[in-house]
Amino acid sequence: EVQLVESGGGLVQPGRFLRLSCEASGFTFDDFAMHWVRQAPGKGLEWVSGISWNSGSLGYADSVKGRFTISRDNAKKSLYLQMNSLRGEDTALYYCVKDNDARAAGIAFEIWGQGTMVTVSS
Amino acid sequence: QSALTQPASVSGSPGQSVTISCTGASSDIGTYNFVSWYQQHPGKAPKVMIYEVTKRPSGVSNRFSGSKSGNTASLTISGLQAEDEAVYYCCSYAGRSTSVFGGGTKLTVL
């Protein structure tokens, strides 16, 4: 069964950092690009960041550029999101998402995890 | 990276067809054929319904179809069913390994 399991969310103060992880199973992880997509409570989807199969192409939303860093470890079948200088507007459910292509072009976000909640508040 | 523009809501009766528009710019929808559509029911993760403008993933009903003209993409749902009631999001590649979503459209089946 294809599965993505996120972890690392929680309550954090503004200005602090958090690292999200996503463990993949049931497919050949290093054949596909991966992404992080978030959804603030009661709001729509926002693409956050994407990474190609070999980490050669990375992309970030303007809202997180310079603060967030995406990475992957193909040997561990894992995706990561290092989030620094967190703000209240970063509060959201963060989904780990599998693309159906090796490029970080968001061809199709075909598999979604259940998400991990990040709350930024003092 | 400006969000794509979708109507906030659309509605239709069972059996009817509805179309949801998604307007972007020449830097995203207008240039790339990497437009996808997602269905999200309350409390659930999104599900891809259309990708690369017109392609349907295995298992998605052929009542769902996609198209694009210029900077605007569209999702058409024919033969509306109660289970189609959900929020629909469009998404487009915007170059330099970035993507952008629309604000979402709530579909109500009357």
Side-chain angles (χ1 to χ4, degrees):
Chain A
E1 178 191 7
V2 177
Q3 197 170 10
L4 298 170
V5 179
E6 303 95 335
S7 61
L11 174 63
V12 61
Q13 294 180 328
R16 301 289 289 176
F17 61 91
L18 213 54
R19 189 193 195 208
L20 305 184
S21 299
C22 170
E23 189 171 329
S25 60
F27 64 98
T28 306
F29 183 72
D30 51 9
D31 277 352
F32 298 97
M34 297 293 295
H35 303 263
W36 289 98
V37 175
R38 68 185 182 184
Q39 188 167 34
K43 302 297 184 182
L45 302 174
E46 180 185 14
W47 177 85
V48 173
S49 183
I51 185 169
S52 62
W53 68 281
N54 63 351
S55 304
S57 295
L58 309 178
Y60 298 94
D62 288 343
S63 59
V64 307
K65 197 176 299 181
R67 300 187 299 123
F68 290 11
T69 301
I70 192 172
S71 62
R72 64 189 294 164
D73 184 333
N74 286 346
K76 295 183 177 179
K77 297 185 179 182
S78 293
L79 176 71
Y80 307 100
L81 186 67
Q82 178 68 39
M83 304 186 297
N84 296 334
S85 303
L86 283 163
R87 306 167 180 168
E89 54 264 38
D90 295 319
T91 294
L93 183 65
Y94 284 74
Y95 289 105
C96 170
V97 186
K98 171 190 175 295
D99 206 326
N100 74 343
D101 191 271
R103 300 165 289 176
I107 306 299
F109 301 130
E110 65 174 5
I111 303 295
W112 298 63
Q114 285 307 299
T116 187
M117 187 67 199
V118 173
T119 303
V120 183
S121 175
S122 54
Chain B
Q1 296 167 359
S2 297
L4 307 176
T5 300
Q6 300 180 232
S9 63
V10 297
S11 63
S13 299
Q16 289 185 332
S17 294
V18 295
T19 296
I20 300 172
S21 63
C22 172
T23 301
S26 57
S27 56
D28 41 60
I29 293 177
T31 295
Y32 303 101
N33 287 323
F34 295 151
V35 177
S36 50
W37 290 89
Y38 300 85
Q39 176 192 66
Q40 187 178 35
H41 288 111
K44 301 293 187 181
K47 174 187 176 183
V48 59
M49 307 303 284
I50 295 288
Y51 67 100
E52 291 186 58
V53 181
T54 61
K55 297 181 180 179
R56 249 187 338 268
S58 172
V60 172
S61 170
N62 59 9
R63 297 185 298 104
F64 292 83
S65 62
S67 63
K68 187 187 90 165
S69 177
N71 297 340
T72 298
S74 299
L75 173 71
T76 297
I77 308 171
S78 58
L80 269 179
Q81 300 180 0
E83 68 228 41
D84 298 332
E85 185 162 296
V87 179
Y88 291 84
Y89 296 92
C90 60
C91 184
S92 174
Y93 181 59
R96 298 191 177 187
S97 301
T98 66
S99 295
V100 61
F101 278 97
T105 298
K106 179 170 174 53
L107 168 62
T108 300
V109 180
L110 302 170

